[in-house]
Amino acid sequence: MLSRRQLLLTAGASAALAGCATARPEAAAVAAAPPPPAPVVQPPPPSPDQQLVGFMDEVFQEALRDSPQLVTSLGLDKAERAAAKSRLDNASLEEAARQKRITNEQLNRLRAIDRSRLAGMAAVNYDSLMDALAVNDEGNRRYAYGYNGAGQPYVLSQLTGSYQQIPDFLGTQHVIETKADADAYLARLDAFAGVMDQETERTRHDVGLGVIPPDFVIERSLTQMKGLVENPAKSPLVRSVADRAKQKNIPGDYEGQAAAIYRDKVVPALNRQIALMNELRPRAVHDAGCWRLPNGEEYYRTSLRSSTTTTLTPDEIHEMGLDQARQLSARADVLLKKAGYSRGTVGQRIQQLYKDKKYHYPNTDAGKEKLIADLNKQVQAMSARLPQMFGTLPKAPVEVRRVPKFIEAGAPGGYYNQPSLDGTRPGIYWINLRHTAENPTWTLPTLTYHEAVPGHHNQLALQQEADLPMIRRVLFNSAYAEGWALYAEQLAQEMGLYADDPLGEVGYLQSSLFRSARLVVDTGLHHKRWSREKAIATMTSIDGSPTSAATTEIERYCVWPGQACSYMVGKLTWVRLRDKARAALGPKFDYRKFHDAGLLTGSVPMTVLENVVDSYIAATRTA
């Protein structure tokens, strides 16, 4: 199938050929009759490789057209795309329906390309896009609630909804360097109210289908929503533009303009969402799993398929978690006994470690600043050792920053934002410091290896810098990316970084126990119909995390079913494929070449990663 770009090229080639067919003047003078028309040379039809290149370019351009926030996240909101910087993504019911149609149309266009004639990276690109489009299209056809596809059933929760995401987006990704940037911020702040009203309408639509968040999700959401309703002068949404405009000496009363928009538009829209959530309170139940939603059991299976990119069943994933927990607990038991923690279960002893204040940074601004500074030093130290294991390293730097205070109550313990494509924003590892007791010193090295280097930053920054089509540079596959980050934790241990730090190794084991517990509790909640309380108790018994942290995590899984399973499923796949390559290649195996083979292909489904590694093995054998 021809892309619009290829059609234009074909038309241009035909015009050029037609121009070459014009008769010479001297020949026309002696000819009694006009010469016969020159034959029209038809250009060959585009090959499947060319069709795929055109398709991927179209999909990327469609994504940029439909998501001004993506344009900003990639650092592309300049020049011809500058208008995107004044807009937010459309969250209406009509737009959701349109996006479903687009996904289906893209899937059909991709299917029209002859997969059997593709090889190498073209086949990897095709299979990666096919997997993503097919599972999203399946979710769109089966489920009429939540976000498109499957995996986020509630439009409004403590982790979903623009009220939770836009303040962070405007504060951390909307760059303000000029007056135009500050004016664009005001335009987005104005649009924020409209987006919230669109979400309110979508939530009412879903309520009509019987989709209401659990009571504890509503309570957590209300706490966060009410936290945004405050004196305009103190609002982070107002202060963000006012302070940054002042720092850049941009003229204009941005504090006054932002405060007026916040007071007259944002707060009323937010109050309408608060009123809706209060209205739903009496109708909410305490059941935590998505099994109670329309076609909920199938919804969970689709969510698992989307997150893990495997066909593993909930029961298989549940048993995988229990098995991993047993293996990891045995090693943790040995280390804890050596450290003098010998009484109680592994989980109980890890809880004792969490409570030991000698491993806590002071829960003060100064203490938290010291923690951030220490983590940035750790990133630098690890970066110096990366050439031991990696042939290709990211060019973009990475920094550690604190999760903004106004979203920390419901935010994860840590997460990562990849660099902008234009190089103006580094990779950022955000750590949640709502209370330093949740991040004792022995847990921090592993968390940093996961979120920064050699974890998310190595993978996502390299993906953006790789020689890949643009749509492949920005795709995120949870099992691949989160699996890699968890694999990176193990890699740090294998590099000997805990040789003189046994409690640091306990932190590494606790992190892996945490991801093993996720397999158990996520399937417990959504497949085995566990209560929120049983899931919290089970998580703390396996990984020893404090009840407050476990509660935040369990409530996360309730609104993102399946996603938490992607970490350990993905990691075990990375480890299995590395062991497969090492066994097949023997002395020819090289960590650096294996990692380059796996990372420079970009984010792919785990089935596709298997094919990539098989190709790497075959090429290395014959080299």
Side-chain angles (χ1 to χ4, degrees):
M1 180 173 291
L2 292 172
S3 71
R4 182 174 182 273
R5 174 174 173 272
Q6 290 164 331
L7 280 171
L8 290 172
L9 290 175
T10 302
S14 298
L17 289 168
C20 292
T22 303
R24 295 192 308 272
E26 60 272 25
V30 298
V40 177
V41 179
Q42 296 290 340
S47 68
D49 286 78
Q50 291 169 329
Q51 292 176 19
L52 182 61
V53 168
F55 171 77
M56 290 188 292
D57 182 61
E58 287 178 345
V59 170
F60 181 64
Q61 295 303 323
E62 288 166 3
L64 293 179
R65 179 197 67 203
D66 293 342
S67 177
Q69 290 173 226
L70 174 63
V71 176
T72 290
S73 295
L74 297 176
L76 299 177
D77 51 2
K78 304 172 180 68
E80 69 274 11
R81 294 195 182 94
K85 195 161 188 174
S86 298
R87 298 186 289 117
L88 297 176
D89 293 358
N90 189 329
S92 68
L93 281 166
E94 294 76 15
E95 178 63 13
R98 192 179 76 87
Q99 288 300 324
K100 290 182 179 183
R101 291 194 299 272
I102 289 174
T103 297
N104 183 258
E105 290 166 3
Q106 290 176 344
L107 178 61
N108 289 333
R109 282 154 52 198
L110 184 58
R111 283 173 173 161
I113 299 172
D114 187 352
R115 167 64 176 81
S116 67
R117 295 174 59 193
L118 300 175
M121 185 55 72
V124 170
N125 291 337
Y126 181 100
D127 293 344
S128 299
L129 290 171
M130 177 58 73
D131 183 89
L133 289 170
V135 73
N136 282 340
D137 185 64
E138 176 188 346
N140 289 341
R141 287 184 286 104
R142 288 188 173 187
Y143 318 110
Y145 54 87
Y147 287 90
N148 288 356
Q152 293 186 33
Y154 310 114
V155 173
L156 292 176
S157 73
Q158 82 278 18
L159 290 175
T160 55
S162 61
Y163 88 91
Q164 202 274 344
Q165 297 155 357
I166 294 302
D168 184 32
F169 170 78
L170 289 177
T172 63
Q173 297 194 51
H174 184 107
V175 174
I176 295 180
E177 295 288 341
T178 66
K179 187 176 190 305
D181 295 336
D183 291 341
Y185 183 105
L186 294 179
R188 276 181 157 163
L189 187 61
D190 188 271
F192 181 25
V195 172
M196 282 193 284
D197 283 337
Q198 289 172 339
E199 292 169 339
T200 300
E201 180 186 12
R202 283 181 67 174
T203 300
R204 289 193 182 279
H205 166 272
D206 291 358
V207 169
L209 298 175
V211 178
I212 298 175
D215 53 10
F216 53 87
V217 168
I218 290 177
E219 291 299 329
R220 176 83 73 164
S221 304
L222 281 168
T223 298
Q224 294 182 179
M225 288 176 175
K226 291 174 181 177
L228 280 176
V229 179
E230 54 188 329
N231 184 325
K234 296 181 179 179
S235 168
L237 286 163
V238 175
R239 295 258 49 92
S240 178
V241 65
D243 294 345
R244 288 191 286 164
K246 184 176 181 180
Q247 290 167 5
K248 298 295 180 179
N249 295 314
I250 298 171
D253 181 15
Y254 285 98
E255 179 174 358
Q257 293 180 78
I261 296 170
Y262 176 82
R263 180 187 63 245
D264 298 338
K265 294 189 175 182
V266 173
V267 170
L270 189 56
N271 281 333
R272 287 189 285 273
Q273 288 195 342
I274 291 172
L276 173 60
M277 299 302 268
N278 278 322
E279 179 185 324
L280 297 180
R281 260 175 161 173
R283 301 171 59 183
V285 298
H286 197 63
D287 294 325
C290 67
W291 53 266
R292 63 183 177 78
L293 302 177
N295 203 11
E297 292 184 359
E298 282 303 311
Y299 185 93
Y300 183 54
R301 288 179 179 272
T302 306
S303 299
L304 280 178
R305 167 75 182 86
S306 177
S307 292
T308 69
T309 62
T310 71
T311 56
L312 290 169
T313 68
D315 286 325
E316 289 171 331
I317 290 174
H318 191 85
E319 289 304 315
M320 180 187 294
L322 292 173
D323 181 61
Q324 284 295 306
R326 283 190 289 268
Q327 294 181 43
L328 294 162
S329 291
R331 172 61 179 163
D333 178 54
V334 172
L335 291 173
L336 286 166
K337 285 178 178 175
K338 285 183 177 179
Y341 295 86
S342 57
R343 301 181 63 180
T345 66
V346 166
Q348 289 169 338
R349 282 177 276 167
I350 290 176
Q351 283 187 323
Q352 293 175 40
L353 264 180
Y354 265 108
K355 294 174 183 177
D356 194 331
K357 293 184 178 179
K358 69 183 176 184
Y359 301 117
H360 296 174
Y361 281 84
N363 194 42
T364 62
D365 285 341
K368 293 173 182 180
E369 288 174 8
K370 175 70 162 54
L371 187 155
I372 294 292
D374 288 348
L375 293 191
N376 277 302
K377 290 178 184 176
Q378 182 190 328
V379 167
Q380 293 170 6
M382 175 52 116
S383 296
R385 300 184 63 163
L386 291 179
Q388 298 174 25
M389 291 288 181
F390 297 90
T392 306
L393 298 175
K395 299 180 180 67
V398 60
E399 298 177 6
V400 187
R401 299 181 187 176
R402 178 180 178 180
V403 170
K405 292 181 181 180
F406 56 88
I407 64 166
E408 65 185 9
Y415 57 94
Y416 172 82
N417 288 154
Q418 61 207 77
S420 59
L421 286 174
D422 66 355
T424 59
R425 187 182 67 247
I428 302 172
Y429 152 35
W430 299 95
I431 183 167
N432 196 325
L433 298 182
R434 58 192 156 218
H435 199 294
T436 55
E438 293 183 12
N439 296 286
T441 55
W442 51 271
T443 68
L444 290 170
T446 293
L447 181 60
T448 305
Y449 300 142
H450 179 106
E451 299 294 346
V453 287
H456 281 316
H457 182 67
N458 260 42
Q459 185 263 305
L460 287 165
L462 278 178
Q463 177 174 311
Q464 282 196 171
E465 297 166 5
D467 183 19
L468 293 170
M470 289 302 301
I471 190 63
R472 288 284 330 285
R473 294 192 199 182
V474 301
L475 280 180
F476 182 88
N477 181 295
S478 188
Y480 174 98
E482 297 295 359
W484 168 264
L486 195 56
Y487 165 79
E489 297 179 18
Q490 178 173 320
L491 191 64
Q493 190 267 345
E494 292 170 343
M495 291 170 69
L497 290 169
Y498 300 118
D500 300 317
D501 183 14
L503 284 185
E505 185 175 355
V506 170
Y508 152 67
L509 292 168
Q510 191 275 337
S511 176
S512 292
L513 282 166
F514 170 47
R515 274 44 177 252
S516 301
R518 282 178 162 180
L519 302 183
V520 177
V521 299
D522 195 87
T523 52
L525 286 163
H526 300 293
H527 176 62
K528 297 181 179 295
R529 305 192 176 191
W530 287 5
S531 68
R532 164 184 174 272
E533 288 70 28
K534 180 175 181 179
I536 293 169
T538 301
M539 172 156 266
T540 57
S541 71
I542 292 175
D543 74 346
S545 56
T547 300
S548 62
T551 299
T552 298
E553 286 294 323
I554 294 303
E555 292 178 355
R556 168 187 170 180
Y557 312 154
C558 292
V559 301
W560 281 353
Q563 192 273 342
C565 296
S566 62
Y567 297 71
M568 184 57 76
V569 170
K571 175 204 169 172
L572 294 177
T573 303
W574 274 104
V575 172
R576 177 178 63 80
L577 293 178
R578 186 188 67 178
D579 291 346
K580 178 182 181 179
R582 188 159 45 193
L585 297 175
K588 283 191 170 184
F589 178 81
D590 186 322
Y591 276 97
R592 293 167 295 183
K593 292 180 180 178
F594 170 79
H595 291 150
D596 278 1
L599 291 177
L600 297 182
T601 58
S603 186
V604 296
M606 305 320 286
T607 50
V608 177
L609 183 61
E610 180 114 28
N611 295 336
V612 168
V613 172
D614 286 345
S615 296
Y616 154 73
I617 292 171
T620 305
R621 277 174 167 165
T622 57

